[in-house]
Amino acid sequence: MEVILIGFMGSGKTTVSQLLGHQLNQTVHDLDQEIVKTAQLSIPEIFQQHGEDYFRNLEHQVLDEMVDKEGILATGGGTPLREDNRRILQQTHTPVIWLQANPANTLERIHEQAGDRPLGDQLDVNGVQRMQADREAFYRECADRVVNTDQLRPTEVVNQILEVLDQAALS
Ligand code: S3P
């Protein structure tokens, strides 16, 4: 991979990965979409019919298969929760960028795609804040760089990531 994006639901991973792919002329892979292809079910259907553990096992399997492919990878918000996934993300030579957004902006984006996120759809702003706090250490453990997206347009986020990639290429 050229770059891997991690971060909470609604942090902009999908939008930013698409723009980055366009800029860098790279294929964009979305872990959730790969899971959907493998399971032949939507994410809410996987959670409903098989439960979260089954989803997490598929997520691990697909991450393991994808990590060494060419392109850009947008992970799921919960990918770094598992230790074996964190190890994969730490051991890869690909830069791992953590996209951060505050709870209000996050919630707004989650609401834009209501019904898509079994673990996000019921959250209010306090719930987002709590869940972000619970997960923060896991994101931090895997991230090479953090980009806070609160004041940035998606194209500006992309520019920051391109700067990170330039620096990584020089070092
Ligand atoms: C999840 C995030 C989702 C998806 C699943 C679980 C999570 O991905 O993988 O619903 O635990 O945070 P997005 O971050 O793309 O919404």
Side-chain angles (χ1 to χ4, degrees):
M1 291 288 168
E2 186 81 13
V3 61
I4 299 176
L5 301 180
I6 64 170
F8 199 77
M9 295 173 267
S11 58
K13 301 179 297 285
T14 302
T15 307
V16 168
S17 65
Q18 294 294 339
L19 289 170
L20 255 180
H22 193 70
Q23 280 273 337
L24 295 172
N25 202 16
Q26 292 270 348
T27 311
V28 178
H29 306 277
D30 186 288
L31 207 56
D32 282 343
Q33 280 178 22
E34 296 298 325
I35 295 167
V36 166
K37 267 196 241 163
T38 305
Q40 301 277 308
L41 294 169
S42 70
I43 304 281
E45 283 168 347
I46 299 172
F47 272 76
Q48 257 168 27
Q49 295 181 23
H50 298 288
E52 182 172 350
D53 283 352
Y54 179 90
F55 172 83
R56 296 296 176 202
N57 287 334
L58 270 182
E59 185 176 43
H60 170 69
Q61 182 192 314
V62 174
L63 175 68
D64 200 32
E65 283 163 14
M66 303 285 308
V67 75
D68 291 323
K69 294 208 165 144
E70 301 246 315
I72 291 158
L73 178 65
T75 59
T79 306
L81 295 184
R82 264 177 63 154
E83 217 233 314
D84 47 7
N85 292 348
R86 293 202 293 281
R87 213 172 317 125
I88 291 174
L89 293 169
Q90 285 162 349
Q91 285 175 356
T92 177
H93 296 295
T94 304
V96 175
I97 314 271
W98 172 18
L99 299 187
Q100 276 181 341
N102 70 32
N105 288 339
T106 299
L107 197 64
E108 207 172 293
R109 296 208 198 104
I110 290 176
H111 284 163
E112 282 166 13
Q113 294 157 333
D116 280 358
R117 294 186 172 100
L119 301 181
D121 282 334
Q122 308 304 322
L123 292 175
D124 61 11
V125 78
N126 292 325
V128 170
Q129 194 167 25
R130 266 198 302 273
M131 207 164 162
Q132 284 181 333
D134 287 346
R135 291 179 169 192
E136 190 172 309
F138 298 134
Y139 297 129
R140 196 174 299 287
E141 245 183 76
C142 318
D144 295 308
R145 290 294 281 269
V146 185
V147 176
N148 185 291
T149 66
D150 286 324
Q151 309 295 329
L152 302 177
R153 283 189 288 266
T155 50
E156 294 171 319
V157 176
V158 167
N159 287 339
Q160 288 217 359
I161 294 173
L162 292 174
E163 277 175 31
V164 171
L165 296 183
D166 279 348
Q167 286 163 9
L170 291 174
S171 63

Coordinates of all heavy atoms in Angstrom, one line a residue, residues 7-9 13 32 43 47 55-56 59 75-78 117-119 135, ligand 1:
G7 N -9.1 5.6 11.7 CA -9.8 6.7 12.4 C -11.2 6.2 12.6 O -11.7 5.3 12.0
F8 N -11.8 7.0 13.5 CA -13.2 6.7 14.0 C -14.2 6.7 12.8 O -13.9 7.4 11.8 CB -13.6 7.7 15.1 CG -14.7 7.3 15.9 CD1 -14.6 6.3 16.9 CD2 -16.0 7.8 15.7 CE1 -15.6 5.9 17.7 CE2 -17.1 7.4 16.5 CZ -16.9 6.5 17.5
M9 N -15.3 6.1 13.0 CA -16.4 6.2 12.0 C -16.7 7.7 11.7 O -16.6 8.5 12.7 CB -17.7 5.7 12.6 CG -17.7 4.2 12.8 SD -19.3 3.7 13.7 CE -18.7 3.7 15.4
K13 N -12.5 8.9 6.3 CA -11.5 8.0 5.6 C -11.9 7.7 4.2 O -11.1 7.7 3.3 CB -11.4 6.7 6.4 CG -11.0 6.8 7.9 CD -11.0 5.4 8.6 CE -12.3 4.7 8.7 NZ -13.2 5.3 9.7
D32 N -14.2 -2.2 4.5 CA -15.6 -2.6 4.7 C -16.2 -3.1 3.4 O -16.9 -4.1 3.4 CB -16.4 -1.4 5.1 CG -16.3 -1.0 6.6 OD1 -15.8 -1.9 7.3 OD2 -16.6 0.1 7.0
I43 N -22.8 -4.6 5.7 CA -22.3 -4.6 7.1 C -23.4 -4.7 8.1 O -23.3 -5.6 9.0 CB -21.5 -3.3 7.3 CG1 -20.4 -3.1 6.3 CG2 -21.0 -3.2 8.8 CD1 -19.1 -3.9 6.5
F47 N -23.7 -7.9 10.9 CA -23.8 -7.8 12.4 C -25.1 -8.5 12.8 O -25.1 -9.1 13.9 CB -23.9 -6.3 12.7 CG -22.5 -5.7 13.0 CD1 -21.6 -5.4 12.0 CD2 -22.1 -5.5 14.3 CE1 -20.4 -4.8 12.2 CE2 -20.8 -4.9 14.6 CZ -20.0 -4.6 13.5
F55 N -17.9 -10.5 12.3 CA -17.5 -9.4 11.5 C -16.0 -9.1 11.8 O -15.2 -8.9 10.8 CB -18.3 -8.1 11.8 CG -17.8 -6.9 11.2 CD1 -18.1 -6.6 9.9 CD2 -16.9 -6.0 11.9 CE1 -17.6 -5.4 9.3 CE2 -16.4 -4.9 11.3 CZ -16.7 -4.6 10.0
R56 N -15.6 -9.1 13.0 CA -14.2 -8.8 13.4 C -13.2 -9.8 12.8 O -12.1 -9.5 12.4 CB -14.0 -8.6 14.9 CG -14.8 -7.5 15.6 CD -14.3 -6.2 15.1 NE -15.2 -5.1 15.7 CZ -15.3 -3.9 15.1 NH1 -14.6 -3.6 14.0 NH2 -16.0 -3.0 15.7
E59 N -12.9 -9.1 9.2 CA -12.1 -7.8 9.1 C -10.6 -8.1 9.2 O -9.8 -7.6 8.4 CB -12.6 -6.8 10.2 CG -12.0 -5.5 10.1 CD -12.5 -4.5 11.2 OE1 -12.7 -5.0 12.4 OE2 -12.8 -3.4 10.9
T75 N -9.4 1.8 6.2 CA -9.8 0.8 7.1 C -11.2 1.1 7.7 O -11.7 2.2 7.5 CB -8.8 0.6 8.3 OG1 -8.7 1.9 9.0 CG2 -7.4 0.2 7.7
G76 N -11.7 0.2 8.5 CA -13.0 0.5 9.3 C -12.6 1.2 10.6 O -11.5 1.0 11.1
G77 N -13.6 1.9 11.2 CA -13.3 2.6 12.4 C -12.8 1.7 13.6 O -12.2 2.1 14.5
G78 N -13.2 0.4 13.5 CA -12.9 -0.5 14.6 C -11.7 -1.4 14.3 O -11.3 -2.3 15.1
R117 N -24.2 2.0 9.8 CA -23.2 1.7 10.9 C -23.9 1.1 12.1 O -24.3 1.8 13.0 CB -22.4 2.9 11.2 CG -21.6 3.4 10.0 CD -20.8 4.6 10.5 NE -19.8 5.0 9.5 CZ -19.9 6.1 8.7 NH1 -21.0 6.8 8.8 NH2 -19.0 6.4 7.9
P118 N -23.8 -0.2 12.2 CA -24.5 -0.9 13.4 C -24.0 -0.3 14.7 O -24.8 -0.3 15.7 CB -24.1 -2.3 13.2 CG -23.6 -2.5 11.9 CD -23.2 -1.2 11.3
L119 N -22.8 0.1 14.8 CA -22.2 0.5 16.1 C -22.3 2.1 16.3 O -22.0 2.6 17.3 CB -20.8 0.1 16.3 CG -20.6 -1.4 16.3 CD1 -19.1 -1.8 16.6 CD2 -21.5 -2.1 17.4
R135 N -11.3 4.4 22.3 CA -10.5 3.8 21.2 C -9.2 4.6 20.9 O -8.4 4.1 20.2 CB -11.3 3.8 19.9 CG -12.5 2.9 20.0 CD -13.3 2.9 18.7 NE -14.2 1.8 18.6 CZ -14.9 1.5 17.5 NH1 -14.7 2.3 16.4 NH2 -15.7 0.5 17.5
Ligands
S3P1 C1 -17.0 0.1 12.7 C2 -16.8 1.0 11.7 C3 -17.3 0.8 10.3 C4 -17.5 -0.7 10.0 C5 -18.3 -1.3 11.1 C6 -17.7 -1.2 12.5 C7 -16.5 0.4 14.1 O1 -16.5 1.4 9.4 O2 -16.3 -1.3 9.9 O3 -19.6 -0.7 11.1 O4 -16.4 -0.5 14.9 O5 -16.1 1.6 14.3 P1 -16.4 3.0 9.1 O6 -15.4 3.6 10.0 O7 -16.0 3.1 7.7 O8 -17.8 3.6 9.3

